Amino acid sequence: MNKHNELQLYLASGSPRRHELLAQLGYRFEVLKLDVPERREEGEKAQDYVCRLARDKAMAGVAAAPAALPVLGADTIVVLGDRVLEKPSDLLDAKDMLEALSGKVHQVMTAVALATPERCDVRLVTTNVAFRKLDEAEIEAYWRTGEPCDKAGAYAIQGIAGKFVSRIEGSYSAVVGLPLLETDLLIKHHLEQSR
């Protein structure tokens, strides 16, 4: 295997969106599919929660990786006030989330972690997203598309729900699931240090 084809890292995520975004950065990686529990602890702040999940995923990847390479883990949550909106359990849950987001500004927090057996570096990116007013009929129609089922906050900005977004301040790619700038800097820094 020549230098240009050598594996550089692992991605501890089954998300096709994270896979696509990491591929855009041009690194050579393989995906590790892991089952890491995603449960917020009592009194845990939203930003601490998302950073912990990214760290947990990266560290679980280090334990499972077939080669001694860094592992990238990430997690994304939607935050409205003091509510953390995770993946909806059903239509009622999704409606509740989308009605809460309707006509308001919320935060999307994405944490990305790069881990080796020796260390784990975490970056947190928070983006403000404003939704226009949504009515019940369009929320129900959106649910029927199947898109919100497995998405934090019951929406995918890169999909049909893009039409609900009136404004965004921050990193679009972080809202999709992986902040390109911060991820690239994290990996570059690690690769330079390990030369």
Side-chain angles (χ1 to χ4, degrees), residues 13-193:
S13 174
S15 161
R17 293 156 300 281
R18 288 200 180 104
H19 185 280
E20 286 164 19
L21 288 164
L22 185 56
Q24 284 178 32
L25 294 176
Y27 295 105
R28 293 170 303 284
F29 66 95
E30 280 180 9
V31 172
L32 298 171
K33 289 192 180 172
L34 307 159
D35 192 20
V36 176
E38 297 185 15
R39 250 176 251 99
R40 191 173 173 199
E41 291 168 5
E42 187 85 28
E44 191 174 25
K45 288 186 175 140
Q47 59 268 33
D48 296 336
Y49 173 52
V50 74
C51 287
R52 177 176 60 79
L53 288 180
R55 190 180 301 108
D56 287 354
K57 289 175 182 181
M59 294 309 291
V62 168
L69 290 170
V71 179
L72 190 74
D75 198 77
T76 302
I77 58 172
V78 172
V79 182
L80 181 65
D82 56 6
R83 268 180 85 185
V84 173
L85 308 178
E86 303 202 50
K87 295 170 186 172
S89 53
D90 55 24
L91 169 61
L92 282 176
D93 197 21
K95 273 175 78 171
D96 177 56
M97 289 183 195
L98 292 166
E99 282 167 2
L101 296 173
S102 173
K104 295 194 184 86
V105 175
H106 63 274
Q107 285 69 48
V108 176
M109 294 181 183
T110 295
V112 61
L114 190 69
T116 63
E118 298 76 43
R119 61 184 291 173
C120 183
D121 294 316
V122 182
R123 300 286 179 276
L124 174 66
V125 178
T126 301
T127 304
N128 290 323
V129 180
F131 264 29
R132 66 169 170 80
K133 276 278 196 203
L134 308 176
D135 63 46
E136 195 172 346
E138 67 187 333
I139 289 173
E140 287 182 11
Y142 179 52
W143 173 261
R144 285 193 300 275
T145 68
E147 187 178 272
C149 301
D150 65 341
K151 309 291 188 299
Y155 78 93
I157 197 169
Q158 74 279 12
I160 300 160
K163 68 182 182 179
F164 303 155
V165 178
S166 59
R167 194 175 75 253
I168 176 171
E169 291 166 16
S171 169
Y172 173 82
S173 64
V175 180
V176 177
L178 196 68
L180 291 176
L181 172 74
E182 291 77 6
T183 301
D184 189 41
L185 292 173
L186 204 54
I187 297 169
K188 264 190 189 144
H189 178 70
H190 174 83
L191 294 176
E192 281 163 11
Q193 281 195 322

